[in-house]
Amino acid sequence: MGKPSKYLLLGLTAMLFSCSIVYGQTEEEIRQAYLDEMLELFRPHPDPEIRPRNVFAGFERLSFRDHTWYDWLERTGELPPNFGEMRSSPFLPDPLILDEGGENIPIRTQSQWEEKRNEIKAYTKHFFSGTFPEPPDNMNIRVLETRTENEVTIERIELRFGPDHRARLNLEVMTPPGDGPFPVFMSQWNHRGWAQIAVRRGYIGLIYAGADEKDDTLEYQEIYPDYDWSALMTRAWGAHRAVDYLYTLDSVDTSKIAITGHSRHAQMSLLAAAFDNRITAFISSSGGTGGETPYRYTDERYELETMDLLLSIRPQWFHPRLRFFGGREHKLPIDQNSIMALIAPNSLLLSTSIREGGANHWGIEENYRSLKEVYRFLGSEDKLGILSRDGGHGTSARDIERFLDWLDIQFDRKYIPWENNLFYGYSFEKWKELSGEEIDPDNFSVVPADHHLLTAIDGSAIETREAWIEKSGEIKNQVNWLLGDEPPGVSASPIENLSNNTDYMDSFLRRPSISNSAVRHIAPYNALGDYLRGSLYYPIDENGEMVTRENGKLPVVIYLHEYSNLGFNTKTTSLFEDLLSRGIAVFAMDLIGYGTRIEEGTYFYDRYPNWSKLGKMVTDTRAAIDALESLEFIDGEHIFLTGYALGGTVSLFTSALDNRIAATAVSGAFTPLRNATEEVEGLKAYSHLQGLIPRLGFFADHQNRIPVDFPEIISAIAPRPLLVVSPELDRHADFENVTRSMDQVSTVYDLFNTPENLHFLTPHEFDRFTTSMRTDIADWFENVADRQE
């Protein structure tokens, strides 16, 4: 597979180290090895200018005892769990399943549900929130100020409680005119504007000092030193004390108390509602990681705030133990859907933007679907809602008004039209109804996972290139069948000129801004596939003029993004800059279902029930090649393809089907499907979760009958140059099976006498697309371009 690079050697060394974690050690030694590995991979950057920032001055410590997470490790001697003995759950844990002695028992009774609730609460305290005190029984209430404004009574209240009444909580309570009792809209000090709208709608508006702007809960940890609660849990416990106060007021309808918060305040409000059922409604507004988005769907392939990032720049928000699961999110015994299930059957609304960088809207909808089963079981399905907006992370009055519309419905005050709209409403069962397809896997031959690629259809050995080319043609036919029936269409006209026009969504989708290049756009009327958009970055000199190679042309890399609701974005800036500095242009576009094309993907299978989303992605990528070939300054012999995660998968499929792609580099792109274990999503990632290749779903219980798998798909790229980066600790891939697959692929490159064209790098990393990986890819493309000229 080519000369072993230092990267490959590092990967092999790491593989040996990883094995030592599991075998021949005591329990404590195993756990210590996990910790050492984590500290190495997630160590702070030595340059203080680019270290993770402390976001808020008031939270420059982990807790009153420990300044940093490392201080906590030293003080407590805590070690990670023995992950090797923990169950892997690549899919969301089912809140309606009890684990009794390793046996999954479906929950059928209320008593079983209470048992499950207690289990979830215990896990939440251990890994997420920390423990916290019982409610105080010595609360003193002091009215600091009372005034009236436009018939609204406004009171400033101070609550004192706890040991020697040292703990306090300031409130502002705004009561509308009338006899009451009134419903309550409760939020944090920085959301007074939200409460103002609620007052106009006939709610008591209450804000409390549990926010960055004003936080009375900072001292709770020191006042109650016997508990290991996190900063967000202290704020949540403060919210409980506000509810204690509300229960003393005759003007309050205690059956109608709602809490809400935005971003980190949504995360805090979630804990408040999960641990206090007196809060009868919770609205989670853009809580992101730690809020509406399950941790299993927050690693780097989803392009949002990952667990390791969140807990390094905001270590105080959650319990320090949670940080052990960075890169191993699938080992968490519960997830955000589990914690939110504690709120049921009280009212719960999930709200976020479909295109904000801090959230994974597809993952949020998966959370919603899981919660829907819980609410259905409890007979309260109408108490669960989802509200999706557009734009960035922030909110506006229009959003708060919709929050209150939903509360009015929940509290039986009035009905304003409401619909729980989903943008990712795909399910395999729904697709089967739409398509009418029924495929019997028994009609397909069993293919052993270790099936030798150089075996012809008749079972004979393939010994010539001509024989392989014949088999490669059959592989392509199988790939095309798997991708579905592409509807007949026509090609776009050649591009006449590039454009400066952008999509209005680009203003908040954080597109790359590259210092050493200019960018022009292939807008819909410029002929890119079926009315698509794309952006072409090319190198320029100090005068802003295009810099080409000696032949007057530019090689170009088509970059395909990960599972990101932002589409291609600033995360790729360093890769783009590296490629451009090497005299290689970069073309990028959003794949269907992402970025500017989220809505386009929503009803894809209603429109094209027998095609597939991945098939559409491949078609669009090939259309990009058509468009680039029509540009005079693009070297049509040097069109390359690269991508990470989803983009890598699309790159492999496209390269297998289109010989015009001169070289391909991917990272985190695949795991073999025929021998996928329960440790990974396997084929269901494509057929059931993401809805990329529905036909694979018929083989869910017959993986060994899949007609074509990644080893064949990748081998169809031979003998063209190919770089595969597969992080050793990628939890979405079975590393040993990936390695075996690449060994099989190497036999095809050997058949063509081109082993130097195949490169396989295995960094000792989690599922991340690191700067060093991107640099390696840019270096590799430069070498390929130079060698082919």
Side-chain angles (χ1 to χ4, degrees), residues 523-534:
Y525 48 82
N526 285 132
L528 171 57
D530 295 333
Y531 206 62
L532 305 178
R533 289 179 178 270

Side-chain angles (χ1 to χ4, degrees), residues 381-436:
E381 194 172 352
D382 58 346
K383 290 188 176 182
L384 176 67
I386 188 168
L387 176 63
S388 304
R389 66 180 191 278
D390 208 345
H393 182 59
T395 55
S396 299
R398 60 180 177 269
D399 305 307
I400 313 309
E401 293 283 10
R402 287 302 279 163
F403 292 173
L404 288 156
D405 291 345
W406 183 78
L407 284 178
D408 279 349
I409 296 169
Q410 297 301 309
F411 291 161
D412 295 321
R413 303 183 76 231
K414 66 176 67 172
Y415 179 77
I416 296 176
W418 185 275
E419 187 173 352
N420 294 318
N421 289 320
L422 299 179
F423 288 84
Y424 302 93
Y426 168 89
S427 74
F428 179 64
E429 295 302 321
K430 179 181 177 182
W431 170 80
K432 285 202 297 184
E433 292 179 11
L434 289 170
S435 68

Side-chain angles (χ1 to χ4, degrees), residues 72 125-130 228 230 318-323:
W72 173 80
K125 289 179 181 179
H126 188 72
F127 290 120
F128 296 83
S129 68
D228 62 348
S230 66
F318 297 98
H319 195 281
R321 290 191 192 99
L322 185 59
R323 195 169 180 180

Side-chain angles (χ1 to χ4, degrees), residues 325-339:
F325 290 87
R328 294 187 172 93
E329 294 83 357
H330 63 309
K331 295 289 187 177
L332 280 167
I334 62 172
D335 212 319
Q336 293 305 101
N337 63 318
S338 314
I339 299 175

